[in-house]
Amino acid sequence: MGAYFSEIFQGLWSLFVGLGITFKEFFKPVVTMPYPYETIEMPARYRGHVELIEDEEGKPKCIVCMACQRACPSDCITLDGEKPEGSKKKVLTSYQLDFTRCSLCGSCVEACNFDALTFSKEYNLASTRKEDFYFDLLKRLEDRNS
Amino acid sequence: MSLTLLNVIFAVVVAIAFAALNAAYLVWAERRGAGRIQRRPGPNINGPFGLFQPPLDGLKLMAKQLTIPGGADKILFVAAPVLSMFPAIMSFVTIPFSEMIVAHNMNVGLLMIFAFASSGSMALLFAGWSSRNKYAMMSAVRSVSQAVAYEIPMLITAITIVLMTGTMDLMEIVRQQGPSILHWNIFPLLTNSHNLLMPFSFLIFFTCTLAETNRAPFDLGEAESELVAGFHIEYGSMGFGLFFMAEYANIVIGSCLTTILFLGGWHPPLPFLGFIPGVVWFLLKIYILIATFIWIRWTFPRTTIYGLLNLSWKILIPISLFNLLLTAGLLKVF
């Protein structure tokens, strides 16, 4: 008989404790983000696809050493460069990233000795077409600067 | 004669409008409340604070086609949503919102409300049966066994109140609970019975109201995880809309009844607050109760069917019977 009543009262008490918890939660601030209207800033270590870094003049820092292309385990990176007349350094002419095969391992960023590659903070990458994932990183850099 | 007819029409229009408006905006309140409890904003896109959400939802439901599943019992299928709505609207007729505002007071108002409330589970049974869907059928069976189990403690508690007040007239029940909080039936220290167990009766009645209106944590009739949506699984369009409105209208009726029986109806908690009109107090009390309904829904997980029936037969019914006997004894002594 005692167990019967103690069970009832303990059960009832636990219900009030639960109500207290939700009551407190009710007055706490909202933690969600109304996504398409507002977005959060990605953390510093977020790994999007790779992106070229520009120098002060807005040109890519890349010197076409091909280290990233060699480092890539999935053969995603194809880059090309040429030596303009009267210059000692090569200039990047195209940098194609095949994101369909990229596993975001970061070997290319690690391999780069000239601080020319980084991870982007891009995460809105949904598409129904495969072609949308062949990125021209040089063009992206120009778009960013213009 | 014509004035009486006008009265009736006016009462019906007001009752339907009140029920529909409450149903629409309680959905909004529920979703906003659920959002806040879960630390998210809830509907906030349509209009200020998402206030245009309910009419737009209604518009969307009305624009849809009402499909009747093959092999369904057509007459019952179409009748069930209407049947689920009408007890709620009928019950508004006899609920006194204040000394003045009552459509038609009758001396067996309490009995009438209970009679209509129990016919609500008939609508669920019709809906479940006529849908020709096993989930709907199971849900209907559950709802009926739940309604049977919870009507007993609810009625016993109501009888306790009838014993204390000596009447089934809702206005008279409220009148006897004036003028202060100590005369309310929840703490009847200054009335004739002095029963200190009445707060438990209030809890029992409130729990039974939750169960009778098929609200969480007793919403086994529409347990989504097992029964998809319960008895209204085959309903689309305004058929579903009517079930939805009936659920909220029933919540309003349940809150009104709890307020009338236990919380002193239109009486202010302290006599000097009497300058505020009674209807304000009444609405304040029912909306506090409704907020509690919503709060409970988003706090507790759904019980099991065994837990639900055990709670009723092993705990609520014995305690409410004991309280009935105690009240009868105390009334004899004092």
Side-chain angles (χ1 to χ4, degrees):
Chain A
M1 202 63 190
Y4 172 78
F5 283 111
S6 73
E7 198 185 321
I8 293 176
F9 278 101
Q10 276 168 12
L12 195 62
W13 178 247
S14 77
L15 294 183
F16 284 116
V17 170
L19 283 176
I21 290 171
T22 42
F23 188 75
K24 272 183 250 160
E25 292 295 317
F26 187 90
F27 293 102
K28 286 186 186 168
V30 166
V31 292
T32 54
M33 178 72 63
Y35 163 59
Y37 307 103
E38 276 173 48
T39 48
I40 51 170
E41 203 163 302
M42 282 291 124
R45 294 180 65 181
Y46 179 79
R47 289 185 169 198
H49 66 75
V50 287
E51 190 93 271
L52 291 170
I53 301 182
E54 61 196 6
D55 57 12
E56 294 82 41
E57 294 157 22
K59 297 271 181 276
K61 278 183 172 180
C62 179
I63 60 147
V64 203
C65 69
M66 304 285 181
C68 47
Q69 188 175 352
R70 280 195 300 277
C72 184
S74 332
D75 274 345
C76 306
I77 299 172
T78 317
L79 70 161
D80 200 13
E82 61 177 23
K83 227 180 245 180
E85 290 291 314
S87 169
K88 276 184 180 176
K89 280 183 179 173
K90 270 191 170 177
V91 172
L92 192 64
T93 51
S94 85
Y95 197 113
Q96 303 289 337
L97 174 70
D98 182 1
F99 194 58
T100 58
R101 288 188 287 173
C102 175
S103 55
L104 299 168
C105 67
S107 296
C108 45
V109 178
E110 243 172 70
C112 187
N113 281 326
F114 300 92
D115 198 18
L117 273 181
T118 184
F119 294 111
S120 70
K121 304 280 175 271
E122 188 68 60
Y123 57 93
N124 288 322
L125 287 172
S127 173
T128 51
R129 288 180 305 142
K130 198 178 170 186
E131 293 75 43
D132 289 349
F133 296 108
Y134 300 138
F135 298 132
D136 186 346
L137 293 191
L138 200 58
K139 190 162 173 293
R140 281 178 66 90
L141 187 74
E142 279 161 15
D143 288 349
R144 211 166 53 204
N145 286 337
S146 63
Chain B
M1 188 67 203
S2 66
L3 193 67
T4 331
L5 191 68
L6 270 181
N7 261 344
V8 170
I9 294 170
F10 184 70
V12 168
V13 168
V14 168
I16 292 177
F18 185 72
L21 200 71
N22 263 298
Y25 276 92
L26 287 182
V27 176
W28 173 84
E30 170 121 50
R31 292 177 61 187
R32 290 289 289 192
R36 291 299 316 193
I37 285 173
Q38 296 168 352
R39 309 281 303 273
R40 58 189 173 80
N44 61 350
I45 303 294
N46 293 319
F49 305 105
L51 275 171
F52 298 157
Q53 190 72 41
L56 292 173
D57 281 346
L59 213 64
K60 177 215 147 200
L61 281 174
M62 280 180 226
K64 290 202 157 188
Q65 187 192 2
L66 180 61
T67 49
I68 299 178
D73 188 326
K74 278 186 189 137
I75 296 171
L76 283 186
F77 188 82
V78 176
V82 183
L83 278 177
S84 79
M85 193 68 197
F86 106 97
I89 289 174
M90 282 302 290
S91 301
F92 275 112
V93 169
T94 188
I95 283 181
F97 286 84
S98 80
E99 191 81 55
M100 312 290 198
I101 306 171
V102 54
H104 183 72
N105 189 40
M106 55 181 88
N107 54 9
V108 288
L110 191 59
L111 187 65
M112 181 194 136
I113 287 184
F114 277 117
F116 278 114
S118 19
S119 76
S121 59
M122 186 180 72
L124 305 195
L125 186 62
F126 280 3
W129 172 257
S130 64
S131 296
R132 203 185 173 89
N133 179 311
K134 60 185 169 192
Y135 296 121
M137 187 67 223
M138 268 186 249
S139 151
V141 170
R142 278 186 182 188
S143 294
V144 171
S145 69
Q146 179 181 334
V148 168
Y150 279 84
E151 234 152 52
I152 299 170
M154 196 177 195
L155 285 172
I156 293 172
T157 313
I159 290 170
T160 314
I161 298 286
V162 173
L163 264 185
M164 284 166 67
T165 54
T167 175
M168 279 198 177
D169 184 337
L170 292 177
M171 289 196 88
E172 189 52 38
I173 290 176
V174 176
R175 272 189 214 114
Q176 291 189 11
Q177 296 181 59
S180 84
I181 194 166
L182 292 177
H183 293 83
W184 294 2
N185 283 333
I186 184 172
F187 309 115
L189 294 178
L190 298 181
T191 49
N192 53 2
S193 79
H194 309 278
N195 186 349
L196 291 178
L197 286 184
M198 282 318 275
F200 292 101
S201 269
F202 170 75
L203 279 182
I204 291 172
F205 194 84
F206 190 70
T207 314
C208 294
T209 315
L210 280 176
E212 283 285 299
T213 51
N214 279 321
R215 283 287 292 188
F218 304 113
D219 56 347
L220 289 157
E222 46 194 290
E224 296 94 349
S225 50
E226 308 134 43
L227 297 176
V228 193
F231 53 87
H232 56 58
I233 182 170
E234 296 288 357
Y235 285 88
S237 174
M238 261 335 253
F240 169 75
L242 275 178
F243 275 122
F244 215 61
M245 277 167 71
E247 185 189 328
Y248 285 94
N250 281 329
I251 291 167
V252 177
I253 293 289
S255 303
C256 288
L257 205 56
T258 317
T259 306
I260 289 166
L261 294 184
F262 286 95
L263 301 179
W266 62 77
H267 289 298
L270 294 167
F272 68 86
L273 291 168
F275 63 91
I276 299 170
V279 63
V280 175
W281 287 112
F282 189 84
L283 291 176
L284 188 70
K285 286 171 191 173
I286 70 166
Y287 285 117
I288 287 174
L289 280 175
I290 291 170
T292 315
F293 266 79
I294 292 172
W295 177 17
I296 284 174
R297 171 161 181 188
W298 298 101
T299 304
F300 302 131
R302 186 177 297 128
T303 55
T304 57
I305 187 88
Y306 306 109
L308 173 102
L309 294 177
N310 276 346
L311 175 66
S312 172
W313 293 101
K314 287 188 179 168
I315 296 173
L316 297 185
I317 291 179
I319 291 179
S320 56
L321 268 176
F322 173 76
N323 203 21
L324 176 67
L325 290 175
L326 184 73
T327 309
L330 285 172
L331 281 173
K332 203 76 189 162
V333 170
F334 291 108

